[in-house]
């Protein structure tokens, strides 16, 4: 199932100046992007926790509102201040239910915790791995799909050429950017943003910014 836009752990109102070279390059190759960039400017600084806790947060945030996800994450941290795979596996189903997790998300987080505890997911190795190898490693865990893996690549590992094509807000924003009557699906938009290589991460960051920007019709 397609997911909502990410809810990064840290959002800074200051513009992310590190994106400027890529945004300028995108403006040179795409006139529609250039027009929107002039109107919207640089997206704000955004980052997200990595490792086990970061993935737990991403699973919590799937398919629910930002407000609801924050409430559940806050309850999780209160229940387990030292969040680790071992501590999560100590929690009962009733504990997880009281935190606000649905039954599927309980199963997903337990699966993640078991994988991490068993050494099946080595976050320290990610820096030396190709993007697709990381996607393969993450999506091998129950409850982690390609969208979540790509969000991890983009916001945690800061990989430069990632585009979470299944994201509904990205699809809608791209349709508005290009004046399309309908938003493209994930397969269609992957093809349409090939022009944006090797700066697709900056393009995705800008599209989320553009999606929320009132100045662009």
């Amino acid at each position: 199932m397609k997911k909502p836009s990410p809810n990064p752990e840290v959002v800074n109102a200051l513009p992310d100046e590190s994106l400027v070279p890529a945004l300028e390059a995108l403006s040179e190759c795409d006139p529609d992007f250039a027009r929107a960039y002039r109107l919207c400017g640089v997206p704000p600084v955004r980052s997200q926790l990595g490792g086990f806790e970061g993935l737990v947060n991403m699973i919590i945030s799937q398919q629910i509102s930002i407000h609801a996800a924050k409430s559940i994450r806050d309850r999780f941290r209160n229940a387990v201040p030292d969040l680790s795979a071992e501590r999560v596996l100590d929690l009962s189903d009733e504990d997880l239910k009281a935190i606000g997790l649905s039954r599927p998300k309980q199963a997903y987080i337990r699966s993640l915790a078991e994988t991490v505890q068993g050494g099946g997911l080595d976050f320290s190795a990610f820096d030396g791995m190709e993007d697709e190898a990381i996607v393969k490693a993450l999506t091998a865990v129950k409850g982690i799909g390609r969208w979540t893996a790509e969000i991890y690549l983009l916001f945690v590992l800061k990989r430069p050429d990632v585009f979470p094509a299944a994201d509904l807000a990205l699809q809608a924003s791209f349709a508005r950017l290009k004046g399309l009557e309908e938003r493209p699906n994930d397969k269609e938009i992957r093809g349409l943003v090939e022009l944006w290589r090797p700066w697709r991460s900056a393009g995705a960051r800008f599209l989320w910014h553009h999606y929320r920007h009132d100045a662009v019709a």
Side-chain angles (χ1 to χ4, degrees), residues 111-191:
S111 176
L112 173 63
E114 289 167 356
T115 301
V116 170
Q117 187 182 51
L121 202 54
D122 182 5
F123 298 108
S124 65
F126 282 1
D127 285 345
M129 294 168 62
E130 297 291 331
D131 290 355
E132 281 303 314
I134 295 170
V135 169
K136 184 177 180 180
L138 289 173
T139 55
V141 181
K142 182 180 180 181
I144 297 179
R146 186 174 186 91
W147 179 87
T148 301
E150 289 174 333
I151 293 299
Y152 195 98
L153 287 171
L154 203 162
F155 285 105
V156 177
L157 299 178
K158 308 293 186 182
R159 295 297 174 94
D161 194 34
V162 179
F163 193 90
D167 190 276
L168 298 179
L170 290 186
Q171 295 171 7
S173 184
F174 186 86
R176 188 172 67 174
L177 182 81
K178 293 294 183 179
L180 305 178
E181 292 185 3
E182 297 182 356
R183 60 176 176 79
N185 61 34
D186 51 350
K187 183 177 180 180
E188 292 167 341
I189 199 171
R190 283 193 192 279

Side-chain angles (χ1 to χ4, degrees), residues 48-58 112 116 123 126 152 156:
Q48 189 154 331
L49 288 173
F52 176 72
E53 184 173 359
L55 284 173
V56 167
N57 287 342
M58 292 179 196
L112 173 63
V116 170
F123 298 108
F126 282 1
Y152 195 98
V156 177

Side-chain angles (χ1 to χ4, degrees), residues 16-53:
D16 190 343
E17 298 296 338
S18 70
L19 296 175
V20 169
L23 295 173
E24 291 180 348
L26 287 166
S27 295
E28 290 177 6
C29 73
D30 187 329
D32 295 319
F33 191 99
R35 175 186 59 82
Y37 180 39
R38 287 194 298 270
L39 288 169
C40 298
V42 181
V45 173
R46 306 181 75 163
S47 62
Q48 189 154 331
L49 288 173
F52 176 72
E53 184 173 359

